[in-house]
Amino acid sequence: FSRMMEAIQGIPRSELAFRIEILATIKRILLRFPSTRDVLRESGGYVTLTSMIVALEDAFAPRDDELAASSVSVARNVLAQVLDVLMESMRDHAINARFFARHVGYTALEDALLLTGALNSNASENNKTMDDNAVALFGMLFAFMVQDASLQSLFSGTHDHTLVSTDPMAAADLPAFVEKTINRPQFVIAHPEMAMVILHLQQHASNSRCALSRAVLQGLLALSRANRRNQIALNRSGFMLECLQRVFPIDKNEDEQDKEDSNEDKQVLFKMITKLLAMGVGDKELHYLFQCFGTNGELLPLDDPQASAVMDLILQGTTRSRWPNFLHFDLALPLATTTTTTPCLDFPTLTQFPPPSQGYTLTMWFHMEKWDKGHDLVLWSVYDDQRLAFQVYLDASTGHLCVYCINSKQVSQFDAVTFQPGYWYHLALVHHRSRLGNSMSTITLVDVLNLYFYLGARYMALYKDSLRQFQTYDASTAIFLNLDGRNAKRRDLQRGMLANVMRGGPSASAAANAASQKVILAVTATQCLAHGTDTGLINASLDYDTRKYANASEMHRVVLNGALSKLQRAIVATASYGYLLGKPGIAFPYGLDDATWKIGGFALALNMISRANTSDLLLKSMRVLIEMVQYSWRNSEDMERRHGYEILANMLKHKRELMTVEFLELLLSFVGKNTAVPEKSVISNPFAYRSVILNFEVWKKTSIDVQRLHLDQFILFMQTSHHRSFNVRRLVKVHLVKKMLLAFRMNIYAKELIPHVVQALKAITLVNWTTESIRALATFVASTASTNGKRAYLHIFHSLF
């Protein structure tokens, strides 16, 4: 190869036919002898191939001579062959793909493509036809990106697997054709960096080729929708940042203003952003997103169209981007492509399994995106040599969990739950009896598994931590509600033990360490050694020799056993290696709610609330705050520790005229109101309830409807709810009767709401019937009314009882 590369460098620029012959030869060698891909890389092949594109400078520029058409056709063939060789050299070869991206770069490739002049030729003025050079170029790039040569003719309106009319396609119909053709699961993005090149080149083509430009964007959008792996790949390639910069340009100079996208293009780009946000947000994207609230050093008003659109995007992002790190197995991939191996994670050897003790426990989080009910869904299999010994699967006909064991005469089926696509499930399968140790003997295994379940799928450690800090208010509430139905003595004992476990107390730490030493296998996506550019454990703090070993061929498929406590130990323990087979996807989403914690967290949303000047903006800002805090333990902890709820209450005092019934309903849902089943309402966030809902100054002078709803929530939580006893215990230090009487004295509520006030006070008093409450009632009557007034108040309080 090295001599061939030298020969290519010496070929005159005009000898295009000779270049085509050499490139065809290289491709044949790569296909017949896959090992030569390494030789191509080591002999400087990628620099040579890129220089061949540079040598095509101005090859597609408009010319008037008679040989122009034939020479352009040959040059186009050379370009196609170069990209074809590049594609084949990197097919299923992670090291070559990584080498090209790092040492040659897609930016250099993009610059070389621009030099060819393929995007400089003129399209027809009426835009009803498109020039062949740009059409061919984008087809080649899409084919390279998904490693499918059949897409080279995509933008000419034809495709190898699509039946189309032989008549020329109208330019206006091209975007819809492209969308229909490639929005299919089999088109998997292999080189997401190429998407950046396509996006940049599309902008160069957008002014004179509207239909083609729109079709290119539509093609990128279709690929982002085609399958989950494409979303993962595009999300971490920097593609989303490019889209953000084009949809929300900030601090633009005159040249950039001339290149600004049309509204139609921005709509397509915005759709791509919202699709990719589901897989999390990186630091650069996060910073740019919040920088869009200002321009030229000044903050935009929240009712500015750009600021409003950014708020909508943040709201969508925080709602949809709560995925944990995960391995993605597309079981339809072998059916849709030439791949023969079903995607899976395989551990050829697993030491210490089955364990010498009489039992073991298997727990996992899994999510079914789609399920072809023609096949059972296998979750876990254990083989003894080549013989299936144990298997956990979901039965396609019933949707029930089934367990096969070689020693059992029949398959065990659990019909309590019918599994459905679209949900995250936490599966815990206990074989025989649990051996948790004496220090945890007062906690049942069910309690422990419930604790693990409520930590959620985003928790990725081995439960050695102080687990309380990883829980949101909703999670801790659900845990202790599970204990409420038991007898008082057992409930209090187990609640104390669980509290000790969550705090990481001495006995709990000892038990957790003992239990973690018995873990045989632990797998998360973070244990993948390397996957794609700059991802995986390969970027961890490894010494030089270990990093070199980890970069070796095939190591990109390795998954380490997380049960081994030290990374260096896990890397050299080859007997514990797991291997990714069949090209599964690996995702490292970082949810927008957690990501904001690094740049201010809840303070960002409080700033929006303080700047809101309409009811709609206040409502939207409050939604942003709730989405940031409710499901993120970091933001939730900070909101409590840094007096965020008190600050929120103080802000709302100055926005009474903006608060609506919808706003209060949103707040009540945040603190625990169940709008679907009100009887199941439980105060899950006592801090927010005490600081905001029970701050009567906030609700003074609000509208009659808002005040009525504020009073009704007392009846809901203290009387209607099945969990009223639990709710009362959460407010035991608040002296609720006293606070309500103080509100009565301060004339917080309008006079026409006095009957509602009485009903609310009655609900509160009946569940807080203590000596202190009785004394407060008596003191209130004695100190606030005249003789005639006392009779009126006595009449009111008589109606309480």
Side-chain angles (χ1 to χ4, degrees), residues 297-586:
E298 296 182 2
L299 282 174
L300 295 172
L302 291 184
D303 54 0
D304 180 88
Q306 175 166 311
S308 180
V310 173
M311 284 184 69
D312 290 335
L313 190 60
I314 291 171
L315 196 55
Q316 291 182 50
T318 51
T319 305
R320 300 177 181 179
S321 64
R322 298 193 182 102
W323 289 76
N325 293 349
F326 64 91
L327 302 175
H328 179 254
F329 303 102
D330 189 349
L331 303 183
L333 196 60
L335 302 176
T337 66
T338 57
T339 303
T340 57
T341 305
T342 300
C344 65
L345 172 60
D346 178 43
F347 284 85
T349 59
L350 190 59
T351 57
Q352 300 180 353
F353 187 84
S357 62
Q358 296 182 1
Y360 61 89
T361 301
L362 168 70
T363 65
M364 69 174 75
W365 281 97
F366 70 93
H367 176 274
M368 292 183 291
E369 194 159 355
K370 296 178 182 177
W371 186 8
D372 178 7
K373 289 300 184 76
H375 302 276
D376 294 338
L377 185 61
V378 178
L379 301 176
W380 172 263
S381 298
V382 179
Y383 289 85
D384 184 4
D385 290 331
Q386 299 298 317
R387 183 177 61 170
L388 179 63
F390 184 79
Q391 189 173 75
V392 181
Y393 65 94
L394 300 181
D395 182 78
S397 60
T398 63
H400 296 157
L401 179 72
C402 297
V403 177
Y404 164 80
C405 183
I406 193 172
N407 297 322
S408 178
K409 294 182 180 180
Q410 60 182 9
V411 174
S412 301
Q413 186 170 132
F414 301 86
D415 56 5
V417 176
T418 300
F419 290 82
Q420 300 290 342
Y423 297 93
W424 276 99
Y425 289 100
H426 183 251
L427 174 64
L429 188 66
V430 181
H431 181 266
H432 207 261
R433 63 178 63 183
S434 168
R435 302 298 178 111
L436 291 176
N438 294 330
S439 60
M440 297 183 70
S441 60
T442 54
I443 306 178
T444 67
L445 181 60
V446 173
D447 293 329
V448 174
L449 294 177
N450 277 332
L451 173 60
Y452 292 171
F453 166 72
Y454 287 114
L455 284 173
R458 289 202 280 184
Y459 178 82
M460 294 177 296
L462 293 181
Y463 310 105
K464 296 181 183 180
D465 315 273
S466 172
L467 299 181
R468 181 181 178 276
Q469 66 176 330
F470 295 100
Q471 293 184 25
T472 61
Y473 283 112
D474 291 344
S476 61
T477 299
I479 289 172
F480 286 107
L481 277 178
N482 279 332
L483 300 177
D484 248 23
R486 306 176 187 180
N487 67 73
K489 183 177 181 180
R490 180 174 175 80
R491 179 191 65 206
D492 294 341
L493 178 63
Q494 292 184 344
R495 181 181 291 139
M497 287 298 298
L498 276 176
N500 186 46
V501 170
M502 288 188 287
R503 284 194 302 266
S507 61
S509 299
N513 288 329
S516 64
Q517 293 173 5
K518 297 180 180 180
V519 175
I520 297 172
L521 176 65
V523 177
T524 66
T526 53
Q527 263 78 54
C528 297
L529 196 57
H531 184 75
T533 305
D534 299 326
T535 59
L537 288 175
I538 212 166
N539 288 323
S541 301
L542 304 177
D543 57 55
Y544 175 78
D545 292 335
T546 308
R547 184 183 292 272
K548 184 177 180 181
Y549 174 71
N551 272 301
S553 179
E554 299 301 313
M555 290 298 287
H556 67 281
R557 298 192 301 114
V558 170
V559 178
L560 303 182
N561 185 354
L564 302 178
S565 56
K566 301 222 177 256
L567 180 57
Q568 306 280 0
R569 177 187 166 201
I571 288 180
V572 298
T574 56
S576 297
Y577 277 5
Y579 295 91
L580 296 169
L581 306 179
K583 301 180 182 179
I586 306 175

Side-chain angles (χ1 to χ4, degrees), residues 5 8-9 19 23 26 30 40 44-55 79 81-87 89 100 104 109 112:
M5 294 301 111
I8 291 174
Q9 296 285 3
R19 291 172 182 259
L23 288 167
I26 294 174
L30 291 174
L40 176 70
Y46 288 129
V47 174
T48 300
L49 291 170
T50 305
S51 67
M52 290 182 72
I53 300 178
V54 175
L79 181 58
Q81 290 280 7
V82 172
L83 292 174
D84 215 17
V85 171
L86 282 173
M87 179 176 69
S89 72
F100 180 83
V104 179
L109 178 61

